[in-house]
Amino acid sequence: MRTPLLRFAARPVHRRILGPLGSALLAGVLLAGGTAGAARAADATPTAPAAVASADLAPAGELPPDGDPVASPPGANDWNCRPGAAHPNPVVLVHGTFANRYENWLALSPLLKSKGYCVFALDYGMIPGVTSSGSGLLLPIGGLGPVAESAAQLGRFVDLVRGATGAAKVDVVGHSQGGMLPNYYLKFLGGAAKVDKVIGLAPSNHGTTLSGIANLAPYLPRVAELIYTVCAACRDQVVGSDFNRTMASKPDTVPGVRYTVIATVYDEVVTPYRTQFLTGPNVNNVVLQDRCPVSLAEHVAIAFSPTALHLVTNALDPGRATPVICG
C-alpha cells in the first residue's frame, strides 16, 4: 500500500513516515490534535497541484445514482447488480477517517465480488480540497465531517442501494470510523430496519485515547482546534466527546442486527483495542491474533489482512464459514 499524499487546497502535506504503520500513526496524531501533524505541514515542500486522473471521474452526464464521480474500488458499485439467493443482502463498505472508498477497499471489494456479492462503497465526510494520491490517482480524503452527518450520508446511500437492488436489507462492513458510524445510523436514524449485519474492522465504537495522546489535546488547545476545524470526526472519536456520550446514552446494540468486531492487539489508533468490542446479544468480538498469533497487522493493515478478510467473509455468510487460514 503506497503512502498517500495529502493535499489541502494547493498546499501538499507528505506522509513521510512510510508504510501502513506510518499512515496509521499520522492519523492518530491528527486525531489527537498533537503537534506532529502541524510540524509535518510546516516541513512540507510545495508542489504544483496535480490534475485529477481521467480514470477516476465518470463522463459528464453519466454519474451513478449516488452522484459520486470518484473511482470505485474494483468490484464495487455495479448499480445493475441483483443479489442472488446465495447472498441476498448487498454489502455496503464504509471507509475510515482520512480515507476514501477506493483506497480503503482495494482488497475486500474484489474478494466479495468474486464470491458473488453485490458490493457497494460510498465516500462520506468529504472536505473540498483535501485529496490523496496513495493509489496513484488523485482522490478525495473523507471521513472528516461530523460523524452524525456522515451517518446520515450512509443512510441515504443504503436507501439508494436497496432501491437499485430490490433488497430489503443490506450488510455493512466498515473500517475504523466506518465500523462505528453505522451504529449511530442504527441507533438514531432508523437504520435497524434496513441492516442485517454490521462487521467492524478496528472500529472506534467507544472512542479512542490514541495510546494516551488524546489526553494532550487540552494542553494544546490551539493546535487541537486547528485539526478539529478540518476534521470534526476526529473530535467526535476522542474518548469523552459529546458524540461518544450521545452514543453511550443507548445500549451498544439494537435488536435484530448481528454484529462482528474484528480487532488487533497492535492497534495504535483506536486504543485500548478492547474498547472496540460491543456488549449485547448477537455480538461476536474477535481478536485477530487469537486466530493468527503471528499476525502483525495494525490499524490500517487490518483492512488488507488475509486473515481479517477471511473473518469478514465468514461473518457475512456464517452458514458457509470455512476454517480461518493464518496469513
Side-chain angles (χ1 to χ4, degrees):
M1 178 180 177
R2 291 178 57 190
T3 52
L5 169 68
L6 299 182
R7 293 184 185 271
F8 296 83
R11 296 183 59 83
V13 180
H14 294 274
R15 291 184 185 177
R16 296 184 179 174
I17 305 174
L18 299 179
L21 177 60
S23 299
L25 287 172
L26 176 58
V29 171
L30 290 172
L31 279 169
T35 58
R40 298 207 178 277
D43 291 343
T45 302
T47 63
V52 177
S54 59
D56 66 325
L57 292 179
E62 298 182 17
L63 291 179
D66 64 346
D68 191 342
V70 177
S72 297
N77 296 334
D78 174 4
W79 294 94
N80 294 315
C81 186
R82 299 295 179 265
H87 304 301
N89 294 338
V91 179
V92 174
L93 305 179
V94 190
H95 64 74
T97 313
F98 297 105
N100 56 60
R101 64 185 181 184
Y102 184 84
E103 293 175 319
N104 212 144
W105 302 118
L106 282 170
L108 182 58
S109 179
L111 173 63
L112 294 179
K113 186 68 173 181
S114 72
K115 291 181 175 292
Y117 288 92
C118 289
V119 184
F120 296 87
L122 78 156
D123 287 313
Y124 69 90
M126 297 293 176
I127 303 296
V130 184
T131 58
S132 164
S133 61
S135 61
L137 299 175
L138 187 61
L139 300 172
I141 286 178
L144 305 179
V147 177
E149 295 179 10
S150 295
Q153 289 181 266
L154 170 62
R156 292 190 289 271
F157 190 82
V158 167
D159 287 342
L160 284 174
V161 170
R162 291 172 63 242
T165 61
K169 292 188 176 184
V170 303
D171 294 332
V172 179
V173 181
H175 177 222
S176 192
Q177 179 190 168
M180 171 274 292
L181 75 82
N183 292 343
Y184 187 94
Y185 169 55
L186 298 181
K187 290 182 181 183
F188 299 101
L189 301 179
K194 304 173 184 179
V195 175
D196 183 33
K197 294 181 284 290
V198 174
I199 301 167
L201 289 161
S204 52
N205 281 325
H206 300 103
T208 175
T209 68
L210 287 161
S211 302
I213 300 174
N215 296 327
L216 297 176
Y219 301 98
L220 300 165
R222 293 183 180 178
V223 175
E225 286 303 318
L226 175 63
I227 298 301
Y228 295 153
T229 297
V230 176
C231 181
C234 298
R235 182 196 300 272
D236 286 345
Q237 291 177 87
V238 172
V239 166
S241 68
D242 291 343
F243 174 82
N244 274 302
R245 286 194 289 270
T246 298
M247 289 289 281
S249 68
K250 291 190 176 184
D252 277 358
T253 63
V254 298
V257 178
R258 290 174 284 178
Y259 299 82
T260 301
V261 174
I262 304 169
T264 170
V265 298
Y266 298 112
D267 199 314
E268 71 285 45
V269 174
V270 180
T271 57
Y273 76 89
R274 290 190 177 276
T275 61
Q276 300 170 23
F277 295 159
L278 296 172
T279 301
N282 298 320
V283 172
N284 183 24
N285 294 312
V286 182
V287 178
L288 182 61
Q289 284 73 23
D290 287 348
R291 305 301 178 92
C292 184
V294 299
S295 174
L296 299 178
E298 40 64 71
H299 185 79
V300 173
I302 195 172
F304 301 88
S305 159
T307 302
L309 299 188
H310 195 160
L311 290 167
V312 169
T313 58
N314 278 356
L316 286 171
D317 193 359
R320 297 182 178 86
T322 59
V324 176
I325 299 173
C326 184

